[in-house]
Amino acid sequence: MTVTLEDRNACSVHLSEDEKSVVIIDQRLLPNNQVYCELKTPEEIYQAIKTLAVRGAPAIGICAGYGIYVLALRSEKTDYDSFYEELKQQTDYIVSSRPTAVNLSWAAKRMMKVVEDNRELPVSEIKKLLYKESVAIHDEDIEMCTRISEYGLSLLKPGDGVLTHCNAGPLATSKYGTAIGPMMLGKERGIDFKVFSDETRPLLQGARLTSYELQKAGVDVTLICDNMASIVMKNGWVQACFVGCDRIAANGDFANKIGTSGVAILAKHYGIPFYTLGPTSTIDMNCPDGDHIKIELRDPEEIRSMWYAEPMALKEVKCYNPAFDVTDHELLTAIITDKGIIYPPFDVNLKKLFEEQ
Ligand code: MRU
């Protein structure tokens, strides 16, 4: 597949024309306002990721790749050691913005490896290689999302109901997305599905982003509150659950948006197949199981007062606000990747997948 500049520029994260900044659509303002921002400094990139202006595991990886290139390009250092030191410090700072999605550190490591492997070259040449690597990270994601969508589509029958949680669409990735990619691709081919989008408390990615993307694409989407997943399953309206992932451990346990594991438990109860869809860049073979995934804790105000005209809980009420949870691999029917559909036993089959690479 040939990826063009036009394909890249259509994505929620891309490089500006002069290559001096990362352009993102500010996802915090959707669906009411479409505002683009330009990120040029380590602080701007860190804040955009931390505050979820750019979010979704693959999208933050792409943002880190372009961000590191932009910072390298703007660097005035000409000798290798000081160029490396400055960029390494800025990269570590960006990576510290969010701990759970592996794509962020994965992309940062790829970029820094280019610098480390080419220390004998002039800094100006290293910058050109960094450009190529950042574009490769983006292009690979476009290709991976397309393949994931094809594999996901092969598991559905026309008219099926699909429940999804959070947002794993084009905004969170590139091209079709992952978890909603099969239905996006199906729509392009005239195949219709009925999607149930969990609103996804507390940050409402399902309401603000998933239902917005699907509605705009002409896909039949019904928005539900998170606590309505059980009734739509019981009613027989859901034939499969498709969700994204932020880090898949070597045994198949995976972290995704808080609430995902509850959906998996419900799906098991009702005998509905439950899939996670993600690029191979989201599989962390260095992480043995879900207990080793660091879960990000976020500001209690996201529960207490965000989105409301007035706070809905007393200031002194304790809140627990984990951004992700881990779904046990035993609840998972299969992992849909760009390299194929992986079935249990996940520890064996994921290992095989990486050995084949
Ligand atoms: O906190 P967020 O909105 O970045 O969480 C995102 C998710 O949990 C997505 O499902 C995941 O990153 C996959 S995106 C293809």
Side-chain angles (χ1 to χ4, degrees):
M1 156 179 199
T2 316
V3 178
T4 63
L5 181 64
E6 213 179 7
D7 293 328
R8 282 181 216 123
N9 287 348
C11 293
S12 64
V13 183
H14 57 267
L15 208 51
S16 64
E17 218 172 295
D18 65 4
E19 296 176 9
K20 289 200 174 125
S21 58
V22 188
V23 181
I24 60 157
I25 182 158
D26 188 339
Q27 297 191 42
R28 294 168 302 189
L29 305 178
L30 289 169
N32 300 315
N33 298 293
Q34 268 206 27
V35 176
Y36 289 85
C37 311
E38 296 208 5
L39 314 174
K40 299 184 185 70
T41 65
E43 292 72 27
E44 285 169 355
I45 299 166
Y46 176 97
Q47 280 305 325
I49 298 174
K50 176 97 192 152
T51 63
L52 275 57
V54 54
R55 53 147 295 285
I60 58 179
I62 297 164
C63 183
Y66 283 142
I68 293 164
Y69 168 63
V70 163
L71 297 175
L73 193 67
R74 289 177 169 272
S75 172
E76 287 171 2
K77 310 284 187 213
T78 49
D79 71 289
Y80 178 84
D81 286 341
S82 40
F83 172 71
Y84 174 79
E85 277 314 315
E86 182 186 62
L87 197 62
K88 175 87 177 84
Q89 207 179 25
Q90 292 171 332
T91 299
D92 289 347
Y93 170 62
I94 291 169
V95 169
S96 72
S97 57
R98 294 194 82 189
T100 304
V102 69
N103 306 60
L104 179 56
S105 56
W106 168 85
K109 271 190 207 133
R110 259 181 81 159
M111 295 298 284
M112 287 314 292
K113 188 167 182 321
V114 169
V115 183
E116 286 153 12
D117 288 353
N118 293 285
R119 55 170 61 238
E120 77 290 352
L121 294 182
V123 165
S124 57
E125 289 303 309
I126 298 178
K127 290 181 183 179
K128 287 183 195 156
L129 295 176
L130 284 172
Y131 168 78
K132 279 197 185 146
E133 193 69 5
S134 64
V135 170
I137 290 171
H138 192 177
D139 288 2
E140 286 165 25
D141 194 66
I142 294 176
E143 290 169 26
M144 290 192 288
C145 285
T146 309
R147 286 199 289 267
I148 289 167
S149 305
E150 287 282 5
Y151 284 121
L153 186 58
S154 74
L155 295 170
L156 297 173
K157 293 187 306 306
D160 273 356
V162 180
L163 186 135
T164 191
H165 189 77
C166 194
N167 173 263
L171 286 162
T173 61
S174 37
K175 195 82 181 174
Y176 301 106
T178 56
I180 67 171
M183 291 76 84
M184 291 286 206
L185 187 63
K187 184 73 208 171
E188 262 184 26
R189 297 185 182 163
I191 311 168
D192 289 321
F193 302 104
K194 294 184 190 325
V195 182
F196 292 92
S197 171
D198 281 355
E199 70 174 349
T200 319
R201 282 280 294 155
L203 293 180
L204 307 180
Q205 288 91 334
R208 296 186 302 104
L209 310 173
T210 301
S211 70
Y212 163 80
E213 286 184 318
L214 290 168
Q215 186 78 32
K216 283 203 11 170
V219 176
D220 181 329
V221 57
T222 304
L223 179 63
I224 58 172
C225 298
D226 300 333
N227 52 8
M228 297 167 190
S230 176
I231 194 170
V232 295
M233 289 186 192
K234 189 169 185 172
N235 286 351
W237 296 346
V238 179
Q239 279 65 53
C241 297
F242 279 5
V243 299
C245 42
D246 285 81
R247 190 182 297 250
I248 301 176
N251 73 340
D253 291 351
F254 72 99
N256 191 50
K257 179 51 53 194
I258 189 72
T260 301
S261 69
V263 175
I265 292 164
L266 288 175
K268 178 132 188 150
H269 178 77
Y270 290 111
I272 297 167
F274 179 90
Y275 301 95
T276 187
L277 299 87
T280 36
S281 52
T282 306
I283 303 171
D284 181 1
M285 292 304 280
N286 295 319
C287 177
D289 55 43
D291 290 345
H292 289 81
I293 301 178
K294 184 166 182 201
I295 300 294
E296 174 187 4
L297 291 178
R298 294 186 64 86
D299 186 350
E301 290 311 322
E302 290 178 353
I303 303 180
R304 208 182 270 131
S305 57
M306 202 165 171
W307 317 116
Y308 300 127
E310 297 175 56
M312 285 296 133
L314 293 175
K315 185 83 194 144
E316 57 274 27
V317 167
K318 267 193 290 178
C319 295
Y320 172 52
N321 187 15
F324 301 94
D325 60 21
V326 171
T327 299
D328 194 288
H329 64 275
E330 284 179 3
L331 298 169
L332 191 52
T333 307
I335 303 170
I336 304 175
T337 75
D338 48 290
K339 301 263 187 294
I341 304 172
I342 316 295
Y343 288 96
F346 295 114
D347 51 352
V348 176
N349 292 336
L350 285 173
K351 201 164 165 226
K352 252 193 228 158
L353 179 82
F354 281 89
E355 278 164 5
E356 278 161 17
Q357 281 184 40

